[in-house]
Amino acid sequence: MKQLVNTFLAILIVAFGLMFLASRLNSAEGYSGGNTLTIYNWGDYIDPELLEQFQEETGITVIYQTFDSNEAMLTKVEQGGTVFDVVVPSDYAIAKMREEKLLLPLDHSKLPNLANIGSKFMDLSFDPGNLYSVPYFWGTVGIIYNPEMTEGIDFSSWDSLWDKRLDNNIFLVDGAREVMGMALNSLHYSVNDRNEEHLQEALTKLNRLSPNVKAIVGDEIKMLLANEEAAVGIVWSGDASEIMDENDKLDYVVPEEGSNIWFDNMVIPRGAANIEGAHKFINFMLRPDVAAQNTEYVGYSTPNVPALELLPEDISGDERFYPPAEITDRLEVYDNLGKRMLAHYNELFLKFKMNKK
Amino acid sequence: MKSKGKSYYLIPYYLWIALFVIAPVLLVVYYSLFDLDGKLTLDNYVNFFTPVYMRMMLNSFWYAFLITLFSLLVAYPAAYLLTRTKHKQLWLLLIILPTWINLLLKTYAFIGIFGTFGPVNNFFDLVGLGEQQILFTGFSFVFVSVYIFIPFMILPIFSALDEMNLSLVDAARDLGASGWTTFRRVVFPLTISGVRSGCMAVFIPALSLFMITRLIAGNRVITLGTAIEQHFLVTQDWGMGSTVAVFLIAIMALFMILTGSSRKGGRA
């Protein structure tokens, strides 16, 4: 019994000691207020030099933290244990955060550089009027393929995926919206279609794709495609650029029937401590020279028009990441379909998954 | 008097059971009665008896059965040999060692091993079998799951074998039983409790595997676990997810009643 008590005491002492140490460390890193700005962004999603430049220009100390999924970010912001001043969620996460009242409205008068954002990237369905969010980067869903393994198949149409030569050679990303959207697009319907007949048609068409599908996977898709485990994959353009960095044999295309366009956006979450600084930071990131430098570093597509003009031709002219207008006109954001419709999409996707052998 | 005083020690245990076993099960049942709009309904249960979920259930069962069977086939001889070795504890430690490594890491390693350009395919190439698709098949799913579950099968069988009185075997042989008969009539019946708890420790978690179905089987194997994960994380249809969970719990309870003796309560 005595031994037990002693053990307990030892654990308690260690725990308190660690707590004290943690609070000391936190205050040493400047978490305890003052003129600091806490930014919560995806990993490796900003040029670190820009953070230094921002600190020099404004005198605000930046604390930079990263996350690797919208869900992880949402959990942390919801819990509210840490104070964040600027967060960079994706479009659907913004719709969700808006519903849950996790966002603070932006003061547009403090964001003069907002005018630099192209008009087609503004006022989108997940945040009408850009009351809460400013686009940071954008991208598409498309086909990544290995020309050496695909015998010259032309991937400018979604229908090319149904080619018999691709038997057991396609990776799909494990997302109901992406896969259903792809099938709907191939039938020239919208990625947000709610018509039951259209959805059933899409499912039938997907089931015919089964023999070509090698696997439906998550984030591993990047590693698998870079290792040439299969010739073709349906991926987000951001992942595609990462895969192509690792294996330059691969190529990416956005099919002409249309596809999804996604956005990562800067927002100010509820509970932000330095709202003034957050506006300054967002406005700073919208400056053409800053946005251009950041785009060169990150490699995603920028919505900043003057920044794009500053970029070298081999980036701004790359039609894989800046598709021409006739394609961008056919790109759609995933609307918030509502729980019921989303469940239906997932059910159809589950049926498709069950169907393959 | 003494025994009465001791019953106080059971209070934390009862609290634990109430808070972390009974309450969650009740909550799961409660959630299963609501649809997406928060309406009280039995629709989820009706929905479960559609072909999609029925096939998923059969799938889960079939694979859990295969995983348990192969684990047993490998684990029993292994445990038997273990009891005959000199440094039992060392060997046992070596078998337990892999469980110290995170499950996800082990699974990821198999993606590399089984891949098109992985060592297994290199070997196949060398012996002239040519390249085979191993990853994203039912085979690789069962193989990796068996690999992960085997320590849980070996341990109880090992302790059962270890406890067995060896003179019984000698007696059986003395009385003229052949090796096989000795095993069938003496050794196996005496270790059946170990086999039973091993099977339980493997079959039940195998029923609701989900990460491996995606990483190793590329969603070619869909189990009830996959469905629960999807309903909770993606669709946020907690009702349907809970309904699937209720059936899983019911199946597991049934399995325990059918296989278990009241003496060994299992590990829930």
Side-chain angles (χ1 to χ4, degrees), chain A residues 96 168 171 174 213-214 216 218 220 227-229 340 343 353-354 356, chain B residues 36-37 55 115-117 133 136 214-215 218-220 230 235-236:
Chain A
K96 216 167 165 182
N168 202 25
F171 282 129
D174 190 8
V213 178
K214 185 165 186 179
I216 303 170
E220 320 78 79
N227 289 344
E228 303 184 1
E229 292 276 348
R340 197 154 271 279
K353 284 201 221 168
M354 288 296 300
K356 65 204 261 349
Chain B
L36 266 173
D37 305 320
R55 265 184 58 197
T116 317
F117 306 103
Q133 187 185 344
F136 310 128
R214 197 190 80 196
L215 287 169
N219 276 318
R220 277 172 177 253
Q230 257 221 345
T235 343
Q236 294 185 326

PDB file of all heavy atoms in Angstrom, chain A residues 96 168 171 174 213-214 216 218 220 227-229 340 343 353-354 356, chain B residues 36-37 55 115-117 133 136 214-215 218-220 230 235-236:
ATOM      1  N   LYS A  96     -18.230  24.894 -42.912  1.00  0.00           N
ATOM      2  CA  LYS A  96     -18.530  24.270 -41.635  1.00  0.00           C
ATOM      3  C   LYS A  96     -18.251  25.225 -40.467  1.00  0.00           C
ATOM      4  O   LYS A  96     -19.053  25.355 -39.547  1.00  0.00           O
ATOM      5  CB  LYS A  96     -17.638  23.043 -41.499  1.00  0.00           C
ATOM      6  CG  LYS A  96     -18.286  21.892 -40.802  1.00  0.00           C
ATOM      7  CD  LYS A  96     -17.416  20.690 -41.032  1.00  0.00           C
ATOM      8  CE  LYS A  96     -17.755  19.564 -40.116  1.00  0.00           C
ATOM      9  NZ  LYS A  96     -16.843  18.450 -40.351  1.00  0.00           N
ATOM     10  N   ASN A 168      -6.667  -2.454 -64.291  1.00  0.00           N
ATOM     11  CA  ASN A 168      -5.993  -2.546 -62.989  1.00  0.00           C
ATOM     12  C   ASN A 168      -4.841  -1.553 -62.851  1.00  0.00           C
ATOM     13  O   ASN A 168      -3.801  -1.888 -62.316  1.00  0.00           O
ATOM     14  CB  ASN A 168      -5.480  -3.977 -62.797  1.00  0.00           C
ATOM     15  CG  ASN A 168      -5.258  -4.297 -61.328  1.00  0.00           C
ATOM     16  OD1 ASN A 168      -5.887  -3.683 -60.473  1.00  0.00           O
ATOM     17  ND2 ASN A 168      -4.364  -5.207 -61.046  1.00  0.00           N
ATOM     18  N   PHE A 171      -5.391   4.515 -59.603  1.00  0.00           N
ATOM     19  CA  PHE A 171      -5.633   4.761 -58.183  1.00  0.00           C
ATOM     20  C   PHE A 171      -6.683   5.861 -58.058  1.00  0.00           C
ATOM     21  O   PHE A 171      -6.569   6.901 -58.708  1.00  0.00           O
ATOM     22  CB  PHE A 171      -4.369   5.238 -57.479  1.00  0.00           C
ATOM     23  CG  PHE A 171      -3.390   4.152 -57.176  1.00  0.00           C
ATOM     24  CD1 PHE A 171      -2.067   4.285 -57.539  1.00  0.00           C
ATOM     25  CD2 PHE A 171      -3.797   3.001 -56.527  1.00  0.00           C
ATOM     26  CE1 PHE A 171      -1.154   3.284 -57.253  1.00  0.00           C
ATOM     27  CE2 PHE A 171      -2.896   1.994 -56.233  1.00  0.00           C
ATOM     28  CZ  PHE A 171      -1.570   2.135 -56.602  1.00  0.00           C
ATOM     29  N   ASP A 174      -9.666   8.309 -51.922  1.00  0.00           N
ATOM     30  CA  ASP A 174     -10.793   7.813 -51.139  1.00  0.00           C
ATOM     31  C   ASP A 174     -11.686   8.964 -50.681  1.00  0.00           C
ATOM     32  O   ASP A 174     -11.737   9.300 -49.512  1.00  0.00           O
ATOM     33  CB  ASP A 174     -10.264   7.025 -49.937  1.00  0.00           C
ATOM     34  CG  ASP A 174     -11.374   6.269 -49.218  1.00  0.00           C
ATOM     35  OD1 ASP A 174     -12.495   6.238 -49.750  1.00  0.00           O
ATOM     36  OD2 ASP A 174     -11.119   5.719 -48.146  1.00  0.00           O
ATOM     37  N   VAL A 213      -9.718  -0.062 -61.806  1.00  0.00           N
ATOM     38  CA  VAL A 213      -9.290   0.534 -60.539  1.00  0.00           C
ATOM     39  C   VAL A 213      -8.425  -0.450 -59.765  1.00  0.00           C
ATOM     40  O   VAL A 213      -8.858  -1.551 -59.442  1.00  0.00           O
ATOM     41  CB  VAL A 213     -10.506   0.937 -59.684  1.00  0.00           C
ATOM     42  CG1 VAL A 213     -10.047   1.502 -58.349  1.00  0.00           C
ATOM     43  CG2 VAL A 213     -11.342   1.951 -60.428  1.00  0.00           C
ATOM     44  N   LYS A 214      -7.199  -0.046 -59.487  1.00  0.00           N
ATOM     45  CA  LYS A 214      -6.311  -0.927 -58.721  1.00  0.00           C
ATOM     46  C   LYS A 214      -6.616  -0.800 -57.237  1.00  0.00           C
ATOM     47  O   LYS A 214      -6.647  -1.792 -56.526  1.00  0.00           O
ATOM     48  CB  LYS A 214      -4.857  -0.551 -58.984  1.00  0.00           C
ATOM     49  CG  LYS A 214      -3.867  -1.487 -58.321  1.00  0.00           C
ATOM     50  CD  LYS A 214      -2.479  -1.330 -58.886  1.00  0.00           C
ATOM     51  CE  LYS A 214      -1.549  -2.381 -58.317  1.00  0.00           C
ATOM     52  NZ  LYS A 214      -0.196  -2.271 -58.850  1.00  0.00           N
ATOM     53  N   ILE A 216      -8.438   2.097 -54.007  1.00  0.00           N
ATOM     54  CA  ILE A 216      -8.963   3.391 -53.571  1.00  0.00           C
ATOM     55  C   ILE A 216      -8.237   3.727 -52.283  1.00  0.00           C
ATOM     56  O   ILE A 216      -8.435   3.057 -51.278  1.00  0.00           O
ATOM     57  CB  ILE A 216     -10.474   3.317 -53.344  1.00  0.00           C
ATOM     58  CG1 ILE A 216     -11.149   2.837 -54.624  1.00  0.00           C
ATOM     59  CG2 ILE A 216     -11.029   4.652 -52.907  1.00  0.00           C
ATOM     60  CD1 ILE A 216     -12.616   2.504 -54.453  1.00  0.00           C
ATOM     61  N   GLY A 218      -5.916   6.650 -49.561  1.00  0.00           N
ATOM     62  CA  GLY A 218      -5.883   7.993 -48.985  1.00  0.00           C
ATOM     63  C   GLY A 218      -4.616   8.726 -49.389  1.00  0.00           C
ATOM     64  O   GLY A 218      -4.219   8.695 -50.543  1.00  0.00           O
ATOM     65  N   GLU A 220      -1.675   7.973 -49.071  1.00  0.00           N
ATOM     66  CA  GLU A 220      -0.611   7.122 -49.612  1.00  0.00           C
ATOM     67  C   GLU A 220      -0.532   7.258 -51.122  1.00  0.00           C
ATOM     68  O   GLU A 220       0.454   6.865 -51.728  1.00  0.00           O
ATOM     69  CB  GLU A 220      -0.836   5.643 -49.310  1.00  0.00           C
ATOM     70  CG  GLU A 220      -1.349   5.264 -47.966  1.00  0.00           C
ATOM     71  CD  GLU A 220      -2.828   5.509 -47.828  1.00  0.00           C
ATOM     72  OE1 GLU A 220      -3.647   4.717 -48.296  1.00  0.00           O
ATOM     73  OE2 GLU A 220      -3.159   6.547 -47.219  1.00  0.00           O
ATOM     74  N   ASN A 227       6.018   6.045 -56.892  1.00  0.00           N
ATOM     75  CA  ASN A 227       6.738   4.776 -57.041  1.00  0.00           C
ATOM     76  C   ASN A 227       6.286   3.975 -58.251  1.00  0.00           C
ATOM     77  O   ASN A 227       6.661   2.820 -58.404  1.00  0.00           O
ATOM     78  CB  ASN A 227       6.544   3.909 -55.796  1.00  0.00           C
ATOM     79  CG  ASN A 227       7.276   4.459 -54.601  1.00  0.00           C
ATOM     80  OD1 ASN A 227       8.156   5.303 -54.747  1.00  0.00           O
ATOM     81  ND2 ASN A 227       6.922   4.007 -53.414  1.00  0.00           N
ATOM     82  N   GLU A 228       5.397   4.565 -59.053  1.00  0.00           N
ATOM     83  CA  GLU A 228       4.900   3.917 -60.276  1.00  0.00           C
ATOM     84  C   GLU A 228       4.194   2.598 -59.999  1.00  0.00           C
ATOM     85  O   GLU A 228       4.287   1.650 -60.782  1.00  0.00           O
ATOM     86  CB  GLU A 228       6.053   3.719 -61.272  1.00  0.00           C
ATOM     87  CG  GLU A 228       6.729   5.037 -61.615  1.00  0.00           C
ATOM     88  CD  GLU A 228       7.816   4.899 -62.678  1.00  0.00           C
ATOM     89  OE1 GLU A 228       8.043   3.784 -63.165  1.00  0.00           O
ATOM     90  OE2 GLU A 228       8.415   5.929 -63.029  1.00  0.00           O
ATOM     91  N   GLU A 229       3.451   2.536 -58.890  1.00  0.00           N
ATOM     92  CA  GLU A 229       2.667   1.334 -58.613  1.00  0.00           C
ATOM     93  C   GLU A 229       1.495   1.208 -59.589  1.00  0.00           C
ATOM     94  O   GLU A 229       0.937   0.138 -59.770  1.00  0.00           O
ATOM     95  CB  GLU A 229       2.141   1.365 -57.174  1.00  0.00           C
ATOM     96  CG  GLU A 229       3.213   1.228 -56.118  1.00  0.00           C
ATOM     97  CD  GLU A 229       3.570  -0.244 -55.847  1.00  0.00           C
ATOM     98  OE1 GLU A 229       2.855  -1.127 -56.291  1.00  0.00           O
ATOM     99  OE2 GLU A 229       4.604  -0.458 -55.184  1.00  0.00           O
ATOM    100  N   ARG A 340     -27.901  15.357 -45.636  1.00  0.00           N
ATOM    101  CA  ARG A 340     -28.645  14.253 -46.217  1.00  0.00           C
ATOM    102  C   ARG A 340     -28.085  13.868 -47.581  1.00  0.00           C
ATOM    103  O   ARG A 340     -27.860  12.704 -47.880  1.00  0.00           O
ATOM    104  CB  ARG A 340     -30.126  14.644 -46.339  1.00  0.00           C
ATOM    105  CG  ARG A 340     -31.028  13.479 -46.545  1.00  0.00           C
ATOM    106  CD  ARG A 340     -32.418  13.779 -46.038  1.00  0.00           C
ATOM    107  NE  ARG A 340     -32.550  13.432 -44.638  1.00  0.00           N
ATOM    108  CZ  ARG A 340     -32.777  12.187 -44.212  1.00  0.00           C
ATOM    109  NH1 ARG A 340     -32.869  11.190 -45.066  1.00  0.00           N
ATOM    110  NH2 ARG A 340     -32.895  11.928 -42.937  1.00  0.00           N
ATOM    111  N   ALA A 343     -24.692  12.366 -47.307  1.00  0.00           N
ATOM    112  CA  ALA A 343     -24.795  10.965 -46.884  1.00  0.00           C
ATOM    113  C   ALA A 343     -25.140  10.097 -48.092  1.00  0.00           C
ATOM    114  O   ALA A 343     -24.631   8.992 -48.245  1.00  0.00           O
ATOM    115  CB  ALA A 343     -25.854  10.827 -45.797  1.00  0.00           C
ATOM    116  N   LYS A 353     -17.678   0.967 -53.998  1.00  0.00           N
ATOM    117  CA  LYS A 353     -16.545   0.261 -53.397  1.00  0.00           C
ATOM    118  C   LYS A 353     -16.873  -1.214 -53.176  1.00  0.00           C
ATOM    119  O   LYS A 353     -16.043  -2.078 -53.378  1.00  0.00           O
ATOM    120  CB  LYS A 353     -16.211   0.890 -52.047  1.00  0.00           C
ATOM    121  CG  LYS A 353     -15.474   2.203 -52.120  1.00  0.00           C
ATOM    122  CD  LYS A 353     -14.787   2.402 -50.778  1.00  0.00           C
ATOM    123  CE  LYS A 353     -14.851   3.796 -50.268  1.00  0.00           C
ATOM    124  NZ  LYS A 353     -14.453   3.929 -48.888  1.00  0.00           N
ATOM    125  N   MET A 354     -18.132  -1.480 -52.717  1.00  0.00           N
ATOM    126  CA  MET A 354     -18.535  -2.858 -52.448  1.00  0.00           C
ATOM    127  C   MET A 354     -18.552  -3.674 -53.719  1.00  0.00           C
ATOM    128  O   MET A 354     -18.379  -4.880 -53.714  1.00  0.00           O
ATOM    129  CB  MET A 354     -19.949  -2.882 -51.851  1.00  0.00           C
ATOM    130  CG  MET A 354     -20.057  -2.386 -50.461  1.00  0.00           C
ATOM    131  SD  MET A 354     -19.165  -3.402 -49.314  1.00  0.00           S
ATOM    132  CE  MET A 354     -19.985  -4.969 -49.529  1.00  0.00           C
ATOM    133  N   LYS A 356     -16.629  -3.693 -56.252  1.00  0.00           N
ATOM    134  CA  LYS A 356     -15.433  -4.094 -56.986  1.00  0.00           C
ATOM    135  C   LYS A 356     -14.782  -5.325 -56.352  1.00  0.00           C
ATOM    136  O   LYS A 356     -14.795  -5.525 -55.162  1.00  0.00           O
ATOM    137  CB  LYS A 356     -14.467  -2.927 -57.122  1.00  0.00           C
ATOM    138  CG  LYS A 356     -13.864  -2.404 -55.865  1.00  0.00           C
ATOM    139  CD  LYS A 356     -13.468  -0.988 -56.120  1.00  0.00           C
ATOM    140  CE  LYS A 356     -12.020  -0.798 -56.426  1.00  0.00           C
ATOM    141  NZ  LYS A 356     -11.128  -1.850 -56.226  1.00  0.00           N
TER     142      LYS A 356
ATOM    143  N   LEU B  36     -30.437  11.271 -39.713  1.00  0.00           N
ATOM    144  CA  LEU B  36     -29.581  12.432 -39.941  1.00  0.00           C
ATOM    145  C   LEU B  36     -30.175  13.725 -39.402  1.00  0.00           C
ATOM    146  O   LEU B  36     -29.467  14.630 -38.988  1.00  0.00           O
ATOM    147  CB  LEU B  36     -29.339  12.598 -41.441  1.00  0.00           C
ATOM    148  CG  LEU B  36     -28.084  11.937 -41.966  1.00  0.00           C
ATOM    149  CD1 LEU B  36     -28.063  12.028 -43.461  1.00  0.00           C
ATOM    150  CD2 LEU B  36     -26.855  12.614 -41.377  1.00  0.00           C
ATOM    151  N   ASP B  37     -31.506  13.811 -39.430  1.00  0.00           N
ATOM    152  CA  ASP B  37     -32.138  15.048 -38.983  1.00  0.00           C
ATOM    153  C   ASP B  37     -32.436  15.024 -37.487  1.00  0.00           C
ATOM    154  O   ASP B  37     -33.108  15.919 -36.975  1.00  0.00           O
ATOM    155  CB  ASP B  37     -33.452  15.274 -39.745  1.00  0.00           C
ATOM    156  CG  ASP B  37     -33.217  15.250 -41.227  1.00  0.00           C
ATOM    157  OD1 ASP B  37     -32.188  15.798 -41.651  1.00  0.00           O
ATOM    158  OD2 ASP B  37     -34.049  14.684 -41.964  1.00  0.00           O
ATOM    159  N   ARG B  55     -23.889  -7.795 -47.378  1.00  0.00           N
ATOM    160  CA  ARG B  55     -22.667  -8.297 -48.024  1.00  0.00           C
ATOM    161  C   ARG B  55     -21.439  -7.870 -47.238  1.00  0.00           C
ATOM    162  O   ARG B  55     -20.471  -8.617 -47.105  1.00  0.00           O
ATOM    163  CB  ARG B  55     -22.588  -7.766 -49.455  1.00  0.00           C
ATOM    164  CG  ARG B  55     -23.151  -8.752 -50.450  1.00  0.00           C
ATOM    165  CD  ARG B  55     -22.983  -8.270 -51.863  1.00  0.00           C
ATOM    166  NE  ARG B  55     -21.604  -8.025 -52.236  1.00  0.00           N
ATOM    167  CZ  ARG B  55     -21.253  -7.305 -53.302  1.00  0.00           C
ATOM    168  NH1 ARG B  55     -22.189  -6.758 -54.043  1.00  0.00           N
ATOM    169  NH2 ARG B  55     -19.991  -7.133 -53.604  1.00  0.00           N
ATOM    170  N   GLY B 115       4.878  -4.107 -52.640  1.00  0.00           N
ATOM    171  CA  GLY B 115       4.699  -3.267 -53.822  1.00  0.00           C
ATOM    172  C   GLY B 115       5.238  -3.901 -55.093  1.00  0.00           C
ATOM    173  O   GLY B 115       5.958  -4.901 -55.055  1.00  0.00           O
ATOM    174  N   THR B 116       4.863  -3.280 -56.222  1.00  0.00           N
ATOM    175  CA  THR B 116       5.286  -3.806 -57.528  1.00  0.00           C
ATOM    176  C   THR B 116       6.794  -3.938 -57.610  1.00  0.00           C
ATOM    177  O   THR B 116       7.313  -4.835 -58.264  1.00  0.00           O
ATOM    178  CB  THR B 116       4.796  -2.872 -58.640  1.00  0.00           C
ATOM    179  OG1 THR B 116       3.457  -2.489 -58.339  1.00  0.00           O
ATOM    180  CG2 THR B 116       4.844  -3.561 -59.979  1.00  0.00           C
ATOM    181  N   PHE B 117       7.511  -2.992 -56.982  1.00  0.00           N
ATOM    182  CA  PHE B 117       8.964  -3.029 -57.055  1.00  0.00           C
ATOM    183  C   PHE B 117       9.578  -3.441 -55.714  1.00  0.00           C
ATOM    184  O   PHE B 117      10.746  -3.208 -55.464  1.00  0.00           O
ATOM    185  CB  PHE B 117       9.501  -1.666 -57.489  1.00  0.00           C
ATOM    186  CG  PHE B 117       8.863  -1.192 -58.763  1.00  0.00           C
ATOM    187  CD1 PHE B 117       7.874  -0.220 -58.736  1.00  0.00           C
ATOM    188  CD2 PHE B 117       9.225  -1.745 -59.973  1.00  0.00           C
ATOM    189  CE1 PHE B 117       7.260   0.186 -59.896  1.00  0.00           C
ATOM    190  CE2 PHE B 117       8.616  -1.345 -61.142  1.00  0.00           C
ATOM    191  CZ  PHE B 117       7.629  -0.367 -61.105  1.00  0.00           C
ATOM    192  N   GLN B 133       0.575  -9.207 -58.648  1.00  0.00           N
ATOM    193  CA  GLN B 133      -0.020  -8.171 -57.813  1.00  0.00           C
ATOM    194  C   GLN B 133      -0.322  -8.764 -56.443  1.00  0.00           C
ATOM    195  O   GLN B 133      -1.134  -9.669 -56.312  1.00  0.00           O
ATOM    196  CB  GLN B 133      -1.296  -7.603 -58.415  1.00  0.00           C
ATOM    197  CG  GLN B 133      -1.737  -6.428 -57.556  1.00  0.00           C
ATOM    198  CD  GLN B 133      -3.044  -5.831 -57.965  1.00  0.00           C
ATOM    199  OE1 GLN B 133      -3.521  -6.064 -59.059  1.00  0.00           O
ATOM    200  NE2 GLN B 133      -3.627  -5.053 -57.075  1.00  0.00           N
ATOM    201  N   PHE B 136      -3.050  -4.797 -52.394  1.00  0.00           N
ATOM    202  CA  PHE B 136      -4.435  -4.564 -52.809  1.00  0.00           C
ATOM    203  C   PHE B 136      -5.136  -5.842 -53.242  1.00  0.00           C
ATOM    204  O   PHE B 136      -5.878  -5.851 -54.215  1.00  0.00           O
ATOM    205  CB  PHE B 136      -4.509  -3.518 -53.935  1.00  0.00           C
ATOM    206  CG  PHE B 136      -3.742  -2.276 -53.634  1.00  0.00           C
ATOM    207  CD1 PHE B 136      -2.809  -1.781 -54.526  1.00  0.00           C
ATOM    208  CD2 PHE B 136      -3.927  -1.611 -52.443  1.00  0.00           C
ATOM    209  CE1 PHE B 136      -2.086  -0.645 -54.242  1.00  0.00           C
ATOM    210  CE2 PHE B 136      -3.210  -0.465 -52.142  1.00  0.00           C
ATOM    211  CZ  PHE B 136      -2.283   0.006 -53.047  1.00  0.00           C
ATOM    212  N   ARG B 214      -7.875  -0.160 -46.073  1.00  0.00           N
ATOM    213  CA  ARG B 214      -7.543   0.860 -47.064  1.00  0.00           C
ATOM    214  C   ARG B 214      -6.078   0.786 -47.475  1.00  0.00           C
ATOM    215  O   ARG B 214      -5.749   0.807 -48.651  1.00  0.00           O
ATOM    216  CB  ARG B 214      -7.861   2.254 -46.517  1.00  0.00           C
ATOM    217  CG  ARG B 214      -7.938   3.294 -47.600  1.00  0.00           C
ATOM    218  CD  ARG B 214      -8.018   4.683 -47.009  1.00  0.00           C
ATOM    219  NE  ARG B 214      -6.716   5.137 -46.615  1.00  0.00           N
ATOM    220  CZ  ARG B 214      -6.508   6.166 -45.791  1.00  0.00           C
ATOM    221  NH1 ARG B 214      -7.529   6.805 -45.275  1.00  0.00           N
ATOM    222  NH2 ARG B 214      -5.302   6.544 -45.498  1.00  0.00           N
ATOM    223  N   LEU B 215      -5.192   0.679 -46.467  1.00  0.00           N
ATOM    224  CA  LEU B 215      -3.763   0.748 -46.761  1.00  0.00           C
ATOM    225  C   LEU B 215      -3.272  -0.478 -47.508  1.00  0.00           C
ATOM    226  O   LEU B 215      -2.509  -0.355 -48.463  1.00  0.00           O
ATOM    227  CB  LEU B 215      -2.975   0.902 -45.453  1.00  0.00           C
ATOM    228  CG  LEU B 215      -3.078   2.267 -44.813  1.00  0.00           C
ATOM    229  CD1 LEU B 215      -2.502   2.252 -43.410  1.00  0.00           C
ATOM    230  CD2 LEU B 215      -2.349   3.291 -45.653  1.00  0.00           C
ATOM    231  N   GLY B 218      -6.508  -1.588 -50.287  1.00  0.00           N
ATOM    232  CA  GLY B 218      -6.952  -0.540 -51.208  1.00  0.00           C
ATOM    233  C   GLY B 218      -8.462  -0.478 -51.348  1.00  0.00           C
ATOM    234  O   GLY B 218      -8.980  -0.238 -52.427  1.00  0.00           O
ATOM    235  N   ASN B 219      -9.171  -0.690 -50.250  1.00  0.00           N
ATOM    236  CA  ASN B 219     -10.636  -0.678 -50.244  1.00  0.00           C
ATOM    237  C   ASN B 219     -11.239  -1.757 -51.130  1.00  0.00           C
ATOM    238  O   ASN B 219     -12.368  -1.644 -51.585  1.00  0.00           O
ATOM    239  CB  ASN B 219     -11.187   0.689 -50.662  1.00  0.00           C
ATOM    240  CG  ASN B 219     -11.252   1.643 -49.496  1.00  0.00           C
ATOM    241  OD1 ASN B 219     -11.643   1.245 -48.406  1.00  0.00           O
ATOM    242  ND2 ASN B 219     -10.851   2.877 -49.694  1.00  0.00           N
ATOM    243  N   ARG B 220     -10.459  -2.810 -51.392  1.00  0.00           N
ATOM    244  CA  ARG B 220     -11.035  -3.948 -52.104  1.00  0.00           C
ATOM    245  C   ARG B 220     -11.741  -4.858 -51.119  1.00  0.00           C
ATOM    246  O   ARG B 220     -12.578  -5.667 -51.493  1.00  0.00           O
ATOM    247  CB  ARG B 220      -9.948  -4.735 -52.835  1.00  0.00           C
ATOM    248  CG  ARG B 220      -9.629  -4.124 -54.162  1.00  0.00           C
ATOM    249  CD  ARG B 220      -8.449  -4.762 -54.812  1.00  0.00           C
ATOM    250  NE  ARG B 220      -8.271  -4.140 -56.117  1.00  0.00           N
ATOM    251  CZ  ARG B 220      -8.549  -4.748 -57.254  1.00  0.00           C
ATOM    252  NH1 ARG B 220      -8.978  -5.983 -57.263  1.00  0.00           N
ATOM    253  NH2 ARG B 220      -8.390  -4.119 -58.398  1.00  0.00           N
ATOM    254  N   GLN B 230     -16.402   5.562 -41.941  1.00  0.00           N
ATOM    255  CA  GLN B 230     -16.955   6.512 -42.905  1.00  0.00           C
ATOM    256  C   GLN B 230     -18.130   7.291 -42.340  1.00  0.00           C
ATOM    257  O   GLN B 230     -18.213   8.498 -42.504  1.00  0.00           O
ATOM    258  CB  GLN B 230     -17.418   5.745 -44.140  1.00  0.00           C
ATOM    259  CG  GLN B 230     -16.447   5.874 -45.279  1.00  0.00           C
ATOM    260  CD  GLN B 230     -17.148   6.055 -46.589  1.00  0.00           C
ATOM    261  OE1 GLN B 230     -18.354   5.823 -46.704  1.00  0.00           O
ATOM    262  NE2 GLN B 230     -16.418   6.466 -47.593  1.00  0.00           N
ATOM    263  N   THR B 235     -19.464  11.129 -43.427  1.00  0.00           N
ATOM    264  CA  THR B 235     -20.877  11.450 -43.601  1.00  0.00           C
ATOM    265  C   THR B 235     -21.459  12.152 -42.394  1.00  0.00           C
ATOM    266  O   THR B 235     -22.426  12.868 -42.510  1.00  0.00           O
ATOM    267  CB  THR B 235     -21.686  10.153 -43.788  1.00  0.00           C
ATOM    268  OG1 THR B 235     -20.809   9.112 -44.114  1.00  0.00           O
ATOM    269  CG2 THR B 235     -22.711  10.314 -44.845  1.00  0.00           C
ATOM    270  N   GLN B 236     -20.883  11.884 -41.246  1.00  0.00           N
ATOM    271  CA  GLN B 236     -21.424  12.343 -39.975  1.00  0.00           C
ATOM    272  C   GLN B 236     -22.830  11.847 -39.745  1.00  0.00           C
ATOM    273  O   GLN B 236     -23.645  12.502 -39.120  1.00  0.00           O
ATOM    274  CB  GLN B 236     -21.331  13.853 -39.886  1.00  0.00           C
ATOM    275  CG  GLN B 236     -19.871  14.221 -39.833  1.00  0.00           C
ATOM    276  CD  GLN B 236     -19.641  15.682 -39.616  1.00  0.00           C
ATOM    277  OE1 GLN B 236     -20.408  16.497 -40.084  1.00  0.00           O
ATOM    278  NE2 GLN B 236     -18.593  16.006 -38.910  1.00  0.00           N
TER     279      GLN B 236
END
